[in-house]
């Protein structure tokens, strides 16, 4: 039995989607590592995460690995995880999904799937504030895209779209969503004034592979393997 994979849903409204993603990741990890990997999903907020962790027996080694199901970190999520796992040295927290090549590939594939013109303006919709991680995503998309790229922080995506229109970017404006599920934040993007909006990441097969990598790396670091 390996450490339990705990997916921390930083967004509300997952409605079964993330349970399926985690189950797929746990099954794939079991095959890859030749052991059983159980999964748990913790809803946003430290109270439910603490409840989930309380149901996991303590261990001398890693009992659980928390994988934050968010592309970039923001302070609230980090504080929730730290609060819920306080006093549990057998609980390991993996990095968030991140801003690496795998995430960039998922985001650009979604844009390509919508047949967006090469000179379109991209507005990256992030779940949290405009931070270093969102700037990394923007720079990576600028390197792969010929049109302008802007960042739309949570609650400010419509402003970013309006700014693109105001500053003469008169072609197609596409919102590139970094939301994992069809959460309220994702649903609000439809009213932000863009021409197209990419779907959330949960149905991308690359998400399962990315969760697996986060789990495996955290486990190896925890055990010195």
């Amino acid at each position: 039995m390996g450490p339990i994979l705990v997916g921390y849903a930083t967004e509300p409204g997952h409605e079964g989607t993330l349970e399926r993603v985690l189950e797929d990741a746990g099954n794939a990890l079991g095959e890859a590592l030749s052991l059983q990997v159980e999964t748990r999903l913790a809803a946003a907020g430290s109270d439910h995460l603490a409840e989930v962790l309380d149901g996991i027996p303590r261990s001398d080694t890693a009992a659980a690995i928390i994988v934050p199901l968010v592309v970039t970190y923001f302070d609230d999520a980090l504080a929730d995880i730290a609060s819920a796992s306080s006093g549990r040295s057998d609980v390991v927290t993996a990095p968030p999904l991140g801003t690496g090549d795998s995430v960039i590939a998922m985001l650009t594939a979604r844009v390509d799937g919508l047949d967006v013109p090469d000179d379109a303006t991209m507005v990256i919709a992030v779940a949290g504030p405009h931070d270093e991680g969102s700037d990394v995503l923007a720079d990576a998309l600028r390197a792969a895209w010929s049109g302008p790229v802007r960042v739309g922080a949570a609650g400010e995506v419509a402003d970013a779209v309006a700014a693109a229109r105001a500053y003469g970017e008169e072609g197609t404006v596409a919102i590139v969503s970094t939301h994992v599920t069809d959460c309220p934040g994702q649903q609000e993007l439809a009213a932000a004034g863009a021409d197209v909006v990419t779907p959330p990441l949960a149905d991308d097969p690359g998400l399962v592979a990315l969760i697996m990598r986060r789990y495996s790396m955290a486990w190896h670091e925890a055990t010195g393997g």
Side-chain angles (χ1 to χ4, degrees):
M1 176 78 72
I4 293 175
L5 166 60
V6 179
Y8 180 58
T10 64
E11 304 169 341
H14 45 79
E15 296 179 350
T17 301
L18 293 181
E19 285 94 340
R20 172 184 54 79
V21 171
L22 287 175
E23 183 178 351
D24 289 346
N27 290 337
L29 282 165
E31 294 179 5
L33 302 175
S34 299
L35 48 78
Q36 183 179 357
V37 178
E38 295 183 3
T39 63
R40 305 281 192 277
L41 179 66
S46 61
D47 289 346
H48 188 241
L49 179 56
E51 181 182 334
V52 169
L53 295 179
D54 284 345
I56 298 174
R58 293 177 181 269
S59 172
D60 293 334
T61 57
I65 295 174
I66 300 172
V67 177
L69 302 177
V70 61
V71 171
T72 61
Y73 250 149
F74 46 99
D75 291 342
D76 289 348
L78 183 58
D80 285 344
I81 293 171
S83 174
S85 60
S86 176
R88 291 291 301 260
S89 60
D90 59 345
V91 173
V92 180
T93 302
L97 302 178
T99 57
D101 292 344
S102 297
V103 171
I104 298 300
M106 285 192 284
L107 296 178
T108 54
R110 275 161 154 55
V111 174
D112 291 342
L114 295 177
D115 194 25
V116 176
D118 291 342
D119 61 350
T121 295
M122 295 290 144
V123 175
I124 303 173
V126 294
H130 187 155
D131 60 4
E132 181 179 354
S134 53
D135 285 335
V136 170
L137 287 176
D139 288 342
L141 282 179
R142 288 186 184 104
W145 196 259
S146 58
V149 176
R150 295 174 173 269
V151 174
E156 300 175 0
V157 178
D159 292 339
V161 172
R165 306 285 193 199
Y167 283 93
E169 298 162 23
E170 298 175 352
T172 299
V173 176
I175 294 175
V176 183
S177 173
T178 66
H179 291 290
V180 176
T181 65
D182 190 24
C183 60
Q186 173 74 27
Q187 296 168 9
E188 290 171 4
L189 300 182
D195 298 291
V196 292
V197 179
T198 64
L201 298 173
D203 63 346
D204 192 305
L207 181 59
V208 170
L210 186 53
I211 292 171
M212 291 174 61
R213 283 199 295 277
R214 290 290 178 265
Y215 176 100
S216 298
M217 291 175 64
W219 190 22
H220 287 314
E221 288 181 6
T223 59

